[in-house]
Amino acid sequence: MIAFFRPLRPVRPHRDDIAIAVLGLLGGLALWALGLHTQGGMLFPGPWVLVPLVVVAGLELLRRSMPSPALLVGTVALVADLFTTGSVATVLMFTDLMYAAVVYGTPAAARRIPWTTGLITVAMTIGFFGWLQKPESLLIGVATGVVGFLPAITGSAVRGHRDAAETARLRAEQTALLAEMDRVQAVTAERARMARELHDMVANHLSAIAIHATAALSLDDERTTRDALGVIRTNSVEGLAEMRRLIGLLRDAGDEAEPSAAPTLAAVDSLLEQAGTNGASSGLSFTLDDRRDTAAPLPAPVELAAYRIVQESLTNALKHAAPGAVTVALARSRRALTVRVDSPFGDRPGPRAPGSGSGMVGMRERVELLHGAFEAGAVTGDDGGKIWRVRAELPVDEAWETA
């Protein structure tokens, strides 16, 4: 129950509003002391003119926090001022209340007040001219427009400019936010691409090094150790070369840097030869079934993705495949390039290199970037045995071919 009767926190007037109220009150008092009035004494002559003056000056303190109530009470005070000798200070402060009600009031009030004051001005002009039948009566309509319609329309223009500036500021903030989001997405995509390239280029060599190092440590045979060390050296040198190539791509070397060509399917034979050397100790053999029309060129992104898929599949075969034949099949149709790698599935003897699963994720990402299809898993081969099959279909955009 206490929460329902919590007192309202008083709103502290703005320092500009305090200055306007004080100056208006002091100016009105000075005019009254000098005997300067806007009209002759009517129903309430003498010091009664100070009552509307004090009320309107007090309302100036609420021109920002409560603009609409201040305008309503100020209108009553202005009407009361008409029955006294009148004060210019009261009229001027009322025009400021009208202006503030449009600038600081609700959007509905900002739209309604200019139309209302405009209609009142027209009605006052026509009414007094029809009643008095004198040209001087038009001055009453002019005075009404100066006191009511003019500050209202001025406030509407100021509020329009202020709202336009706020909209422009918000649009600029949204543009900056979108630009930052695009930058973050671009950086994230580039980091993912770099991670895929680094994994695909180096994982094959490091896997061979790990397998043969384990073999050299586990088998106490001089010839086996010597062969393993030779394979380790070969893969170390090739891995360092691939690392230098990647670092050269990442480093901004200027216009004098030599362009580095991306690997193509023409180097698949070299991949199989290297895989055969690395997998000989594990009882693995590698064959290529290439049914492509080599005369028809492939788009560079498709060829790079196919090369990396074959490379990663061979690396996984070296890590996990049981002894047997690993087959790489390439086929080209009018719309897509099909890459299939079959390897024996089952427990394997001897040393194995650990895997992290990043290679499978990288292959899937490469295929998805080209809007292709990817599948990998254990299936039953033609001879009834279990094989691990990696299959990817990479669409060939005809626009790339004819470009």
Side-chain angles (χ1 to χ4, degrees):
M1 294 297 294
I2 297 177
F4 290 101
F5 298 99
R6 186 175 298 170
L8 295 177
R9 181 178 297 179
V11 179
R12 185 176 181 180
H14 194 274
R15 60 182 182 181
D16 293 341
D17 300 341
I18 297 176
I20 293 174
V22 172
L23 292 177
L25 180 60
L26 293 178
L29 292 175
L31 293 175
W32 176 74
L34 295 174
L36 299 177
H37 308 289
T38 58
Q39 56 196 10
M42 300 182 71
L43 294 179
F44 302 99
W48 285 101
V49 70
L50 299 180
V51 176
L53 175 67
V54 174
V55 171
V56 175
L59 294 174
E60 287 284 15
L61 301 176
L62 306 176
R63 62 191 296 273
R64 294 174 192 263
S65 58
M66 303 175 63
S68 295
L71 178 62
L72 292 177
V73 178
T75 303
V76 176
L78 181 66
V79 173
D81 184 73
L82 298 177
F83 295 94
T84 65
T85 54
S87 174
V88 175
T90 302
V91 176
L92 292 179
M93 285 190 289
F94 174 80
T95 60
D96 180 69
L97 291 177
M98 182 70 71
Y99 168 84
V102 177
V103 174
Y104 304 112
T106 62
R111 292 190 300 269
R112 185 169 56 248
I113 291 176
W115 286 99
T116 303
T117 55
L119 293 175
I120 292 175
T121 300
V122 173
M124 292 287 287
T125 303
I126 296 175
F128 276 96
F129 182 77
W131 179 30
L132 299 178
Q133 297 293 325
K134 293 181 180 181
E136 292 81 0
S137 60
L138 297 176
L139 296 177
I140 299 176
V142 173
T144 305
V146 171
V147 173
F149 180 69
L150 184 60
I153 201 68
T154 302
S156 179
V158 171
R159 180 166 183 147
H161 287 296
R162 189 186 67 179
D163 292 344
E166 181 67 14
T167 302
R169 184 186 66 81
L170 293 176
R171 188 180 295 112
E173 290 180 354
Q174 292 177 353
T175 302
L177 179 60
L178 292 175
E180 179 63 17
M181 292 175 61
D182 291 341
R183 187 192 68 82
V184 172
Q185 291 177 356
V187 171
T188 303
E190 182 64 17
R191 291 178 63 182
R193 186 189 70 82
M194 291 166 54
R196 287 194 301 268
E197 289 294 321
L198 180 61
H199 179 275
D200 293 343
M201 287 193 301
V202 180
N204 185 30
H205 302 294
L206 294 182
S207 298
I209 291 173
I211 292 172
H212 287 274
T214 305
L217 292 173
S218 59
L219 301 177
D220 188 12
D221 182 76
E222 182 179 354
R223 182 177 178 181
T224 302
T225 302
R226 183 176 296 274
D227 293 340
L229 290 176
V231 174
I232 290 173
R233 183 185 183 280
T234 301
N235 282 276
S236 300
V237 172
E238 293 179 356
L240 287 174
E242 293 285 359
M243 283 292 293
R244 293 190 186 99
R245 175 181 173 273
L246 179 60
I247 293 173
L249 292 175
L250 297 178
R251 181 182 293 128
D252 184 11
D255 297 334
E256 298 180 358
E258 297 182 359
S260 180
T264 64
L265 289 177
V268 169
D269 291 335
S270 300
L271 281 179
L272 292 175
E273 182 179 355
Q274 180 185 6
T277 302
N278 296 334
S281 61
S282 301
L284 294 174
S285 62
F286 298 84
T287 59
L288 174 63
D289 182 12
D290 191 354
R291 300 181 182 180
R292 297 177 299 127
D293 180 9
T294 56
L298 287 170
V302 174
E303 194 152 9
L304 176 60
Y307 178 89
R308 294 303 187 196
I309 290 172
V310 173
Q311 184 183 43
E312 179 59 26
S313 299
L314 295 179
T315 300
N316 289 338
L318 290 172
K319 292 180 181 178
H320 309 294
V326 179
T327 303
V328 177
L330 302 175
R332 165 72 184 274
S333 65
R334 182 173 176 270
R335 295 184 177 274
L337 171 69
T338 302
V339 179
R340 193 183 78 244
V341 181
D342 295 337
S343 58
F345 181 74
D347 295 332
R348 59 176 292 179
R352 301 181 61 179
S356 63
S358 300
M360 198 67 65
V361 174
M363 288 191 289
R364 190 178 300 277
E365 288 178 349
R366 288 184 184 276
V367 175
E368 289 178 352
L369 288 174
L370 297 175
H371 305 288
F374 177 81
E375 57 183 359
V379 298
T380 303
D382 296 336
D383 58 355
K386 286 288 187 179
I387 62 173
W388 182 269
R389 172 168 293 172
V390 175
R391 187 176 184 276
E393 285 190 5
L394 305 175
V396 179
D397 191 345
E398 296 180 358
W400 290 351
E401 293 184 333
T402 58

